[in-house]
Amino acid sequence: MDGSYLSVDPVVCRDRTGAPYEVTLALRRDGTPYGTVGERCGWFLARVAREVVRARDESGAWADPDDRFPEGTEELFALRYRARTDVVGQGELRCQLRTIPSWVPREGGGQRGEWRVTRRAFLEAWGGSGVGLRAVLTSGQLAGFLNDLVREAEARLGTHYRTEPNSNVIWGAGTVLRPR
C-alpha cells in the first residue's frame, strides 16, 4: 500500500545427502532481503491454493467469485521461520480474511442507499526490522499468487505436490535411488 514491492521466492530445502525435498520462502522488499519464512511450507501452500480455487468455483453466500474464500477460517495461513532450536527467526507472511462494508448512496443524491459487503484477503509481510507491508487481494488474485508460487516451487524441486484432497505428500520425494 505504500508503493513498496514484495517478492516471495521459494528456496529449496535439501536433506543431508543434498537431495531437494521442500521449500522455504525468501521475502524481499524492493529487492532487499526482508525475511525468511515458512520452513518446508510448499505442500501447505499447494493445499491452500486448491482450497481457494475450490471456494471460487462453489456457489454460496457470496455472489461474486472474488468474494469467495474457504469457509470457517479468518486466517488462511501464518508463516514464520523457526530455527532447529525452535526460536522464532526474522520475518512473517500472513493471510487473513476480512469482510469490508461500504455504503453506496442511491443515484440522484437521495438519502437512501445500501450497504455492500465484500471479502478480501489481507496479505501481510513483516521483516526483521518490524516494518510491515500489506496487499489487499480478491480471491482470484490470491489464487493466482499462490498458484504461481507453487508452480515455481515445483519447478525448483523438480517434482509436484499431489492434488488429492488432504494430501501432504510431495510426488516423487524420497524416491531417489541410492546404491546399497
Side-chain angles (χ1 to χ4, degrees):
M1 296 188 126
D2 70 353
S4 293
Y5 184 80
L6 177 71
S7 60
V8 182
D9 188 33
V11 178
V12 173
C13 299
R14 297 183 182 277
D15 65 15
R16 288 185 291 175
T17 66
Y21 68 94
E22 244 304 0
V23 294
T24 295
L25 304 177
L27 307 178
R28 293 184 168 279
R29 179 183 181 188
D30 299 326
T32 303
Y34 191 59
T36 305
V37 300
E39 187 176 18
R40 298 182 302 270
C41 66
W43 69 268
F44 175 76
L45 290 174
R47 189 180 80 199
V48 172
R50 286 191 306 271
E51 290 174 4
V52 172
V53 169
R54 188 176 311 120
R56 285 181 54 77
D57 291 341
E58 294 174 353
S59 61
W62 298 93
D64 186 347
D66 279 339
D67 293 329
R68 296 180 195 155
F69 292 92
E71 293 295 328
T73 183
E74 293 297 315
E75 184 170 82
L76 291 179
F77 58 85
L79 304 173
R80 296 173 187 88
Y81 184 78
R82 295 187 178 270
R84 291 183 186 265
T85 58
D86 204 33
V87 175
V88 176
Q90 294 186 345
E92 181 175 348
L93 183 66
R94 170 180 287 179
C95 184
Q96 295 179 321
L97 301 178
R98 296 193 182 143
T99 302
I100 305 166
S102 59
W103 179 255
V104 179
R106 186 193 313 188
E107 290 184 30
Q111 289 189 342
R112 293 199 174 183
E114 65 182 4
W115 284 101
R116 295 226 176 108
V117 288
T118 58
R119 286 184 82 196
R120 294 295 179 258
F122 282 64
L123 186 66
E124 299 174 327
W126 297 91
S129 66
V131 176
L133 296 171
R134 175 184 291 160
V136 180
L137 307 173
T138 66
S139 63
Q141 292 167 326
L142 180 63
F145 167 73
L146 291 172
N147 283 321
D148 289 347
L149 187 58
V150 168
R151 271 193 295 279
E152 182 65 27
E154 290 172 336
R156 291 184 184 190
L157 286 169
T159 189
H160 65 274
Y161 296 99
R162 289 197 149 175
T163 58
E164 291 88 15
N166 300 319
S167 174
N168 64 353
V169 178
I170 301 170
W171 183 257
T175 61
V176 175
L177 297 176
R178 293 187 178 92
R180 293 185 184 246

